[in-house]
DNA sequence: AGTATCTCCTGCGTGC
DNA sequence: TGCACGCAGGAGATAC
């Protein structure tokens, strides 16, 4: 399930193989993703040179002279590079191939089809899906003063608050749970009740957990495949996620597991307040 | 405006 | 062995 670290890992893995190359063709075997893939996308980018591959939140941005392809992996999506001449047969749920002039094929696999492949003309950041996004969590714009100010008078639980992409992008369920545990803050705490000190440590822990995950190249979650086609090798220790009722790593008290906004939430009632 | 709920989809684990 | 069922999850859409 791609969270920001997996998307970034994918970006880094595939970029060297495709940036600077021209598009030979886009093959769409199934256009029914979260939104339909535009019918004319293939003709729009055919022959165009890929100028850069960047990321905004969990969106990959493929830059061409005329505009951008926005590529979101959704919850179960993965991209892998098939080297030139390696004619791997198409497996089920492999919905899209981006074929480059150098023979490299970028293949999209997405069983649950929550992903998206869309076109955005210039300026890309004014696109409806990007214009409202909050700062990148690893950027300097995301600091404790920002989080503190933004959370004032907000009654929403801090966990759903930091998972809101308008507040900050890229903090999914796994890392929200982990960062709140590391910060010693209870997920249910109203965002507006955070102290300055808590805002400071939470921002720090969010950055730490994401940066560590990127360093390690993604999670071990089972359907992640790295940009080089190898399985994810991320072995970051998860202290709370998936450990409901198991002992807290700090105090051994059984971890609480609750539902918040339809998402599994795990915390230690003794270590988080 | 802020907040909570619903929704898209398929694979997997569980219980009968 | 097979079925029904619940759950997982990003984030936009919708409803208060």
């Amino acid at each position: 399930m791609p969270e920001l670290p997996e998307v970034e890992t994918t970006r880094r893995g595939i970029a060297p193989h495709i940036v600077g190359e021209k598009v030979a063709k886009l093959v769409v075997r199934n256009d029914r993703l979260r939104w339909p893939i535009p019918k004319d996308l293939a003709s729009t980018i055919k022959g165009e040179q890929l100028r850069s591959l960047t990321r905004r939140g969990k969106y990959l941005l493929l830059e061409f002279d005329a505009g951008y392809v926005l590529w979101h992996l959704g919850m179960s999506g993965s991209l892998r590079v098939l080297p030139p001449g390696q004619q791997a047969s198409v497996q089920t749920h492999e919905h899209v191939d981006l074929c480059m002039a150098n023979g490299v094929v970028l293949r999209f696999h997405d069983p649950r089809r929550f992903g998206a492949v869309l076109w955005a003309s210039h300026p890309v950041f004014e696109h409806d899906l990007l214009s409202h996004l909050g700062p990148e969590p690893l950027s300097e714009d995301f600091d404790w003063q920002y989080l503190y100010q933004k959370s004032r008078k907000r009654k929403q639980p801090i966990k759903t608050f930091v998972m809101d992409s308008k507040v900050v992008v890229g903090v999914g369920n796994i890392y929200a749970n982990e960062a709140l545990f590391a910060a010693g803050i209870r997920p249910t705490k109203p965002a507006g009740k955070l102290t300055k000190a808590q805002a400071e440590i939470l921002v720090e822990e969010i950055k730490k957990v994401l940066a560590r995950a990127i360093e390690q190249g993604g999670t071990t979650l089972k359907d992640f495949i790295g940009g080089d086609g190898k399985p994810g090798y991320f072995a970051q220790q998860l202290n709370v996620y998936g450990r409901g009722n198991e002992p807290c790593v700090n105090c051994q008290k059984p971890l609480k597991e609750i539902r918040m906004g339809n998402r599994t939430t795990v915390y230690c009632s003794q270590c988080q307040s």
Side-chain angles (χ1 to χ4, degrees):
Chain A
M1 328 286 171
E3 291 226 25
L4 184 140
E6 288 84 351
V7 179
E8 178 61 19
T9 299
T10 297
R11 189 191 69 77
R12 293 179 186 184
I14 65 181
H17 302 278
I18 59 172
V19 172
E21 292 299 322
K22 288 184 176 174
V23 173
K25 61 178 174 176
L26 181 75
V27 178
V28 177
R29 284 178 287 271
N30 184 353
D31 68 357
R32 293 174 307 143
L33 302 182
R34 174 159 193 181
W35 297 283
I37 297 175
K39 296 284 184 207
D40 56 358
L41 184 59
S43 58
T44 300
I45 63 173
K46 184 171 183 174
E48 294 291 309
Q49 185 181 19
L50 179 62
R51 299 293 183 182
S52 69
L53 174 58
T54 55
R55 179 185 59 74
R56 179 73 176 98
K58 293 174 185 169
Y59 290 92
L60 290 169
L61 309 181
L62 288 72
E63 182 194 6
F64 298 95
D65 289 337
Y68 290 77
V69 169
L70 305 187
W71 207 316
H72 198 294
L73 303 182
M75 299 186 27
S76 60
S78 62
L79 285 166
R80 65 182 177 127
V81 170
L82 304 179
Q86 182 177 318
Q87 295 298 322
S89 60
V90 175
Q91 307 292 310
T92 184
H93 305 309
E94 293 186 333
H95 308 308
V96 181
D97 280 354
L98 179 66
C99 307
M100 311 307 285
N102 63 353
V104 163
V105 174
L106 185 64
R107 182 162 287 175
F108 182 54
H109 176 259
D110 186 10
R112 295 177 202 171
R113 291 194 277 118
F114 278 20
V117 184
L118 297 169
W119 179 252
S121 47
H122 298 295
V124 66
F125 293 120
E126 289 182 16
H127 189 276
D128 284 349
L129 294 175
L130 305 181
S131 61
H132 68 279
L133 294 180
E136 288 287 325
L138 295 174
S139 73
E140 291 180 0
D141 292 342
F142 183 59
D143 59 16
W144 73 264
Q145 291 92 338
Y146 167 82
L147 188 72
Y148 185 74
Q149 288 302 330
K150 191 89 176 169
S151 61
R152 291 310 86 187
K153 298 184 179 172
R154 299 289 290 267
K155 296 172 183 167
Q156 196 182 9
I158 187 60
K159 179 174 181 248
T160 54
F161 186 73
V162 297
M163 288 178 68
D164 182 346
S165 62
K166 292 188 287 299
V167 174
V168 57
V169 298
V171 182
N173 193 41
I174 295 173
Y175 298 116
N177 278 301
E178 293 298 321
L180 285 163
F181 175 75
I185 300 168
R186 207 173 275 225
T188 51
K189 189 182 184 80
K193 294 280 178 63
L194 243 65
T195 65
K196 289 181 181 177
Q198 286 180 315
E200 191 165 9
I201 190 169
L202 181 54
V203 166
E204 188 182 326
E205 294 298 343
I206 287 171
K207 287 176 187 283
K208 268 167 63 177
V209 71
L210 292 175
R212 197 181 308 145
I214 290 170
E215 277 172 28
Q216 298 184 32
T219 68
T220 50
L221 291 172
K222 53 184 175 295
D223 51 9
F224 175 67
I225 296 183
D228 57 4
K230 292 176 183 160
Y233 41 87
F234 177 38
Q236 174 168 328
Q237 182 182 340
L238 298 176
N239 288 317
V240 286
Y241 183 79
R243 296 194 63 242
N245 295 319
E246 292 178 38
C248 170
V249 297
N250 287 338
C251 73
Q252 281 70 55
K253 189 172 180 185
L255 296 170
K256 295 275 186 198
E257 181 165 316
I258 61 173
R259 304 283 296 176
M260 287 180 66
N262 236 9
R263 290 290 175 270
T264 300
T265 303
V266 189
Y267 68 98
C268 176
S269 60
Q270 189 152 283
C271 299
Q272 293 171 259
S273 56

